[in-house]
Amino acid sequence: MDLLYRSTRNNNEIVKASQAILKGLADDGGLFVPVSVPKLDKSMEELMNMNYQETAYEVMKLFLTDFTEEELKDCINKAYDTKFDTEVIAPLVEADGAYYLELFHGSTIAFKDMALSILPHLLITSAKKNQIKNEIVILTATSGDTGKAALAGFADVKGTKIIVFYPKNGVSPIQEKQMVTQKGDNTFVVGITGNFDDAQTGVKKLFNDKELAQLMDSKGYQFSSANSINIGRLVPQVVYYVFAYAQLLKEGKLAKGEAMNVVVPTGNFGNILAAYFAKNMGVPIAKLICASNENKVLYDFFETGVYDRNREFVLTSSPSMDILISSNLERLIYLTAGCDAEKNAAFMESLSKTGKYEITEDMKANMKDFYGNYASEQETAATIKDLYEKTGYVIDTHTAVAASVYKKYKEAAKDDTKTVIASTASPFKFTRSVMNAIDAKYDSMSDFELVDELSKIGNVKVPNAIEEIRTAPVLHDTVCEKEEMKDVVMKFLGI
Ligand SMILES: *Cc1c(COP(=O)(O)O)cnc(C)c1O
């Protein structure tokens, strides 16, 4: 019997895993959730002797039941290979009484690689299974990070092309360099003379352009999206929580059955939702600690039961968490409302109309395993500095938000449960903020001087992802007006 997925807004839209991956979003705008979260069918003692790839298979086979063993293993082996700079894939580092789960050893040195390195393979396998002959064209608008991670994931994957639009003057110089140096015949990077919203609006228009869709179909192409709400991104993220628990058990840091807490620096709520799924699969996880930066919508939500996006948007040093609508939270709302799609749809309508909604007391009670808090910019910087001075270990700004919130939680709850902190980016990705937090004297150095200095003081090799862009040639120099996006896409596809 296949595990089926249904929309959070309509219990009658039911699809198989491969169809959910192909569609991304349900027709009614809802997100796909499995009708029940499967239980692990291997014990932790069995899992602790498996490597990352084997663990990935044991977890993902339970969610993606319409994939054959061969198909799934093939996807896993193509994703978690030498693109990662450590064989462990997701190592744990103990520092100052917590375990940092380093999710940044992939091609773009941030945690999005954990899912975006496998999504392309899941997508083309899903296309094959559903007799889709067209080549898949991934279309993305990016404000920086997701674009590069998607490019790296899809580069040279047969049967796919990827087109990324970014605001020409709206990303950091390093982010731009990372994208325009992207290799792969099937990749295409375009700067638009506009801001991120213009790029995003333009991409949405292209997705909804029926005429273009027909023309593309006649030439053997169709669009798809690598959006973070795709179940093909969520499922691979469950793996590293299972892996982390098994590793701690193996190392004797946890006793059999002993629970751990996890702390996740949160934006779109995808990563922490994966931890919640891991818990529901049977991993002994006690608290799920949701860490926010100064955009603390989620902290307020867990405190009051009111989700309210009507507030000032704050630009912080942890930009990947600067989010006012956490799209993946919809899955938790649906699940804690007892899988009541109508109730969830009403909340989401209220969110889109008024920017807010309030959940019921029952739903709040169903979320008791979550704890939310936030860290100010100053607390985040102080945490980077303290940890470095105490231990020599350097963490990035996003991870520091989590470490800071963990400190608050530990003091407030007097809870000594062993704790895993999801470390979502390499400090080399946010070198300037990290180095400034450690010492103001670094302010005058150039970006690449800072990289070398960080390598020295942190005693870590400069990651390839950074080393490469020092010298890599620019391979993409297309710039267009926002009105020209369609022409640019057609030209690239040769239609
Ligand atoms: C995307 C991202 C996050 C937030 O993860 P969500 O799944 O969106 O909550 C945190 N840190 C970094 C570095 C990220 O790139």
Side-chain angles (χ1 to χ4, degrees):
M1 265 278 285
D2 274 325
L3 176 66
L4 297 174
Y5 289 76
R6 60 187 174 199
S7 162
T8 50
R9 298 189 193 177
N10 171 1
N11 278 341
N12 297 323
E13 183 167 349
I14 295 186
V15 295
K16 290 184 184 184
S18 65
Q19 293 163 331
I21 289 170
L22 278 172
K23 293 184 80 145
L25 208 63
D27 288 337
D28 53 39
L31 277 56
F32 288 112
V33 281
V35 296
S36 65
V37 176
K39 295 281 175 217
L40 286 167
D41 62 4
K42 292 279 188 308
S43 69
M44 278 297 161
E45 284 79 6
E46 287 170 287
L47 289 164
M48 75 184 192
N49 292 313
M50 294 185 190
N51 64 19
Y52 193 87
Q53 294 80 355
E54 289 162 344
T55 312
Y57 176 69
E58 292 303 328
V59 173
M60 293 177 65
K61 72 171 193 199
L62 301 170
F63 283 101
L64 310 181
T65 55
D66 63 335
F67 283 60
T68 66
E69 176 171 350
E70 193 191 346
E71 284 169 341
L72 191 52
K73 286 188 168 165
D74 185 51
C75 290
I76 290 168
N77 292 331
K78 282 178 172 151
Y80 304 111
D81 61 5
T82 52
K83 286 193 285 301
F84 285 76
D85 65 12
T86 161
E87 263 176 43
V88 189
I89 307 293
L92 282 156
V93 173
E94 187 173 0
D96 195 25
Y99 299 94
Y100 288 83
L101 178 61
E102 295 188 346
L103 304 174
F104 55 74
H105 289 275
S107 9
T108 74
I109 57 175
F111 109 94
K112 304 276 187 306
D113 292 329
M114 300 304 295
L116 279 168
S117 53
I118 193 163
L119 180 71
H121 305 291
L122 297 176
L123 252 177
I124 53 170
T125 309
S126 298
K128 259 183 231 142
K129 302 181 83 62
N130 289 278
Q131 282 81 46
I132 287 170
K133 301 272 183 333
N134 286 338
E135 206 169 313
I136 305 280
V137 181
I138 299 292
L139 198 58
T140 305
T142 185
S143 54
D145 282 347
T146 307
K148 176 62 190 184
L151 282 165
F154 281 90
D156 289 327
V157 173
K158 276 207 198 80
T160 72
K161 290 196 189 324
I162 175 161
I163 308 175
V164 171
F165 289 98
Y166 72 95
K168 177 69 190 155
N169 297 311
V171 301
S172 80
I174 290 200
Q175 285 176 324
E176 180 171 37
K177 189 94 197 269
Q178 279 191 309
M179 288 192 279
V180 298
T181 56
Q182 178 64 50
K183 292 180 204 144
D185 289 341
N186 65 337
T187 67
F188 196 51
V189 180
V190 188
I192 71 155
T193 51
N195 58 25
F196 172 63
D197 275 342
D198 296 327
Q200 178 114 30
T201 308
V203 162
K204 276 194 189 144
K205 244 194 225 157
L206 292 174
F207 271 123
N208 292 330
D209 188 331
K210 297 256 156 45
E211 218 175 284
L212 180 61
Q214 263 177 11
L215 177 64
M216 285 178 55
D217 189 48
S218 73
K219 305 281 182 182
Y221 293 113
Q222 72 186 58
F223 282 138
S224 186
S225 128
N227 204 303
S228 90
I229 45 84
N230 196 309
I231 201 83
R233 280 185 63 180
L234 190 60
V235 169
Q237 293 177 2
V238 179
V239 174
Y240 45 77
Y241 292 106
V242 177
F243 184 68
Y245 187 91
Q247 292 307 303
L248 289 174
L249 186 66
K250 182 177 180 176
E251 290 167 17
K253 311 284 186 189
L254 288 171
K256 184 176 182 215
E258 184 181 347
M260 67 177 187
N261 290 336
V262 299
V263 191
V264 186
T266 298
N268 236 331
F269 210 75
N271 200 359
I272 194 165
L273 189 74
Y276 179 69
F277 275 27
K279 179 181 166 99
N280 284 296
M281 292 186 89
V283 179
I285 294 176
K287 282 283 176 205
L288 299 145
I289 300 171
C290 174
S292 302
N293 63 22
E294 289 180 5
N295 294 292
K296 57 185 183 61
V297 194
L298 288 167
Y299 164 66
D300 293 339
F301 171 69
F302 284 118
E303 282 291 291
T304 63
V306 177
Y307 193 95
D308 187 356
R309 64 148 300 173
N310 303 303
R311 61 181 72 205
E312 198 94 27
F313 177 78
V314 189
L315 284 171
T316 73
S317 58
S318 44
S320 302
M321 297 158 67
D322 290 345
I323 281 172
L324 293 181
I325 296 191
S326 301
S327 354
N328 266 297
L329 184 67
E330 178 169 347
R331 289 193 166 106
L332 183 68
I333 297 291
Y334 170 81
L335 293 169
T336 52
C339 300
D340 186 335
E342 247 173 70
K343 200 162 155 183
N344 173 66
F347 287 133
M348 293 308 133
E349 191 176 318
S350 168
L351 179 64
S352 93
K353 284 208 174 116
T354 68
K356 60 189 226 178
Y357 59 85
E358 179 168 11
I359 60 168
T360 63
E361 283 304 318
D362 284 353
M363 289 171 69
K364 254 183 104 172
N366 289 340
M367 290 181 195
K368 66 178 185 337
D369 294 333
F370 286 87
Y371 165 89
N373 213 326
Y374 74 103
S376 69
E377 284 293 275
Q378 205 191 349
E379 289 167 330
T380 304
T383 298
I384 295 175
K385 186 179 169 74
D386 284 353
L387 186 66
Y388 170 65
E389 286 176 352
K390 237 180 177 165
T391 67
Y393 186 55
V394 185
I395 54 175
D396 100 291
T397 45
H398 301 76
T399 310
V401 167
S404 189
V405 163
Y406 173 52
K407 224 179 338 179
K408 290 185 185 181
Y409 168 76
K410 212 171 155 180
E411 274 165 25
K414 307 264 179 290
D415 179 359
D416 282 329
T417 305
K418 306 268 171 51
T419 296
V420 165
I421 296 177
S423 183
T424 50
S426 157
F428 285 94
K429 190 145 195 167
F430 299 94
T431 321
R432 186 163 296 279
S433 305
V434 168
M435 294 302 275
N436 274 339
I438 291 174
D439 197 325
K441 75 177 180 199
Y442 293 121
D443 201 35
S444 58
M445 290 189 180
S446 75
D447 285 345
F448 277 111
E449 281 169 348
L450 285 174
V451 162
D452 291 329
E453 191 67 17
L454 171 55
S455 169
K456 211 158 69 192
I457 68 157
N459 196 22
V460 261
K461 206 172 142 273
V462 177
N464 269 343
I466 299 288
E467 210 50 83
E468 267 172 22
I469 58 170
R470 287 193 209 240
T471 52
V474 171
L475 301 173
H476 306 268
D477 59 2
T478 307
V479 176
C480 78
E481 301 289 328
K482 61 184 189 226
E483 295 78 15
E484 296 169 338
M485 288 168 67
K486 183 172 176 176
D487 296 336
V488 162
V489 167
M490 288 170 61
K491 194 166 154 214
F492 175 58
L493 297 176
I495 59 177

